[in-house]
Amino acid sequence: MKGAMIARSPDAQGKNAHREPWQMALQDVVSDSDELLALLGLAPAALAIDGDPAFPLRVPRAFVARMRRHDPDDPLLKQVLPLTAERALRPGFSHDPLAELAANKLPGLLHKYHGRALLIVTGHCGIHCRYCFRRHFPYAARQPSRQQWSQVFDHIRRDDSISEVILSGGDPLAVPDRQLQWLIDQIEAIPQVSRLRIHSRLPVVIPQRITAALVAMLADTRLQASMVIHANHAQELDEDVAAALQPLRRAGIVLLNQTVLLAGVNDQAETLSALSERLFAIGVLPYYLHLLDQVAGAAHFEVSEPLVHGLRAALLERLPGYLVPRFVRELPHARSKVPVFPGASP
């Protein structure tokens, strides 16, 4: 696969000389379906490709390199390839499946649950996952100015119940370190906040993002820091990812993983079991397994409720309890994630 990557010209390399490797990797993406399939030795005619143009293909070449060649059913490819199925209309699937716009009281702030507030740091992502529940979120209209960020921090400061702030997006690690440091400094200045959580897919898709500077930033804060990565299949977790996470572990950063249950990608007990085993082997604890959020364009990934219960039972039989992620769904206006098990109320 590496031999198939497009070489950069000396001029392009010179222009990027001041950028860090992870920033270059963030820009070095495949954005054309025909190119992606050519890299994998697949014929475009064999796949029904016609996704939503408002949510275009975007996948880092380092992630493409982990895909299996000549395999249209590769689980990593299925997560990113725009298909005609995205255009199918399904009742219950909407542009705002979690009613986040109602919870977005201030630009940059989602305050849905007691004790924690979520900051939408950026609308930019390193990869466009086709099942993304925020694929229709109006980031441009909701991106805060510096003055509006001050209002966000004032909101948190006035609410004594908030002890944890979550950085999300987009992907919060897609922004430069100086911007992250500024955000962390503002959060540190709020006395009642004791925990910082970062939700990011970049450690998986662009492991170079875990730099010594980033590790030091998280280790030096007074806040108890955790990072929730996002992997759906063990194939995503190669040795580069494993090596990138080790400095975070050594610095005492708690590492968790959340997975989305996706039809045709990870809806087999063997697949989910292998993912949990691989996560633990590289120092990450399985945290949540989310049922698909009903976002328009992603209905073809939905897994039936009976199969969900069967998968949960199978994992409980196969794995020790600490390797079984919590099966949950997120519902609009709910006061927490909702556990999924037979007999549970939605």
Side-chain angles (χ1 to χ4, degrees):
M1 285 305 300
K2 290 182 180 177
M5 303 301 177
I6 295 177
R8 292 186 173 276
S9 69
D11 287 345
Q13 291 173 0
K15 290 178 182 178
N16 288 313
H18 66 287
R19 302 184 69 82
E20 295 192 44
W22 72 266
Q23 292 174 310
M24 295 176 66
L26 192 61
Q27 293 182 332
D28 191 16
V29 298
V30 177
S31 56
D32 179 79
S33 296
D34 288 346
E35 181 189 0
L36 175 60
L37 295 180
L39 289 169
L40 298 173
L42 294 169
L47 294 160
I49 303 170
D50 187 21
D52 181 357
F55 190 60
L57 171 71
R58 179 184 176 86
V59 53
R61 293 177 187 273
F63 195 73
V64 175
R66 296 174 223 165
M67 298 178 185
R68 296 191 294 261
R69 287 179 55 82
H70 309 296
D71 184 1
D73 292 322
D74 178 80
L76 277 59
L77 175 64
K78 284 187 169 185
Q79 294 180 54
V80 301
L81 188 64
L83 297 177
T84 305
E86 294 184 19
R87 295 181 176 271
L89 299 178
R90 278 271 301 275
F93 283 74
S94 70
H95 283 202
D96 186 16
L98 304 181
E100 288 198 320
L101 293 180
N104 188 206
K105 304 297 185 184
L106 294 168
L109 173 70
L110 287 176
H111 191 184
K112 296 168 59 175
Y113 300 144
H114 176 81
R116 52 231 189 255
L118 184 146
L119 306 187
I120 298 179
V121 174
T122 178
H124 186 55
C125 271
I127 187 169
H128 284 176
C129 301
R130 308 313 300 177
Y131 53 86
C132 179
F133 68 98
R134 289 195 185 125
R135 59 183 289 172
H136 305 288
F137 191 87
Y139 289 108
R142 300 294 179 117
Q143 191 63 37
S145 64
R146 184 61 67 97
Q147 181 179 359
Q148 288 169 322
W149 273 126
S150 295
Q151 295 173 355
V152 168
F153 296 124
D154 285 343
H155 172 93
I156 296 172
R157 189 174 291 107
R158 289 193 300 268
D159 189 336
D160 290 339
S161 74
I162 297 175
S163 59
E164 180 175 34
V165 173
I166 302 164
L167 303 186
S168 184
D171 196 306
L173 294 188
V175 304
D177 283 349
R178 64 181 181 277
Q179 186 174 344
L180 275 179
Q181 185 66 71
W182 181 82
L183 288 168
I184 293 173
D185 288 345
Q186 309 312 303
I187 297 165
E188 278 189 319
I190 303 173
Q192 77 270 19
V193 177
S194 59
R195 295 189 303 278
L196 173 73
R197 195 191 328 165
I198 297 175
H199 283 216
S200 178
R201 188 120 160 89
L202 281 196
V204 174
V205 300
I206 301 176
Q208 302 101 306
R209 180 60 184 100
I210 309 301
T211 62
L214 176 63
V215 174
M217 186 188 310
L218 298 178
D220 291 346
T221 176
R222 72 162 181 84
L223 303 168
Q224 186 175 13
S226 62
M227 185 175 292
V228 182
I229 67 170
H230 175 185
N232 297 315
H233 196 281
Q235 187 178 321
E236 300 176 39
L237 303 172
D238 64 6
E239 291 306 314
D240 288 341
V241 175
L245 295 175
Q246 295 315 301
L248 290 168
R249 289 186 64 200
R250 290 194 294 269
I253 310 303
V254 176
L255 297 176
L256 305 167
N257 180 71
Q258 59 181 358
T259 295
V260 179
L261 186 60
L262 302 167
V265 173
N266 57 10
D267 56 346
Q268 300 290 325
E270 296 82 358
T271 305
L272 291 174
S273 179
L275 173 59
S276 283
E277 296 278 10
R278 177 59 177 162
L279 285 165
F280 193 68
I282 64 174
V284 182
L285 198 64
Y287 175 37
Y288 278 144
L289 191 147
H290 291 269
L291 271 63
L292 182 75
D293 295 315
Q294 293 188 323
V295 62
H300 56 295
F301 286 116
E302 191 169 40
V303 176
S304 70
E305 193 90 358
L307 180 55
V308 171
H309 297 319
L311 289 170
R312 182 175 178 273
L315 291 187
L316 287 169
E317 290 178 2
R318 288 168 177 262
L319 296 170
Y322 59 87
L323 291 188
V324 179
R326 298 181 183 93
F327 280 55
V328 297
R329 59 161 57 90
E330 194 164 0
L331 296 175
H333 312 298
R335 301 178 72 175
S336 69
K337 304 288 192 299
V338 179
V340 176
F341 50 85
S345 299

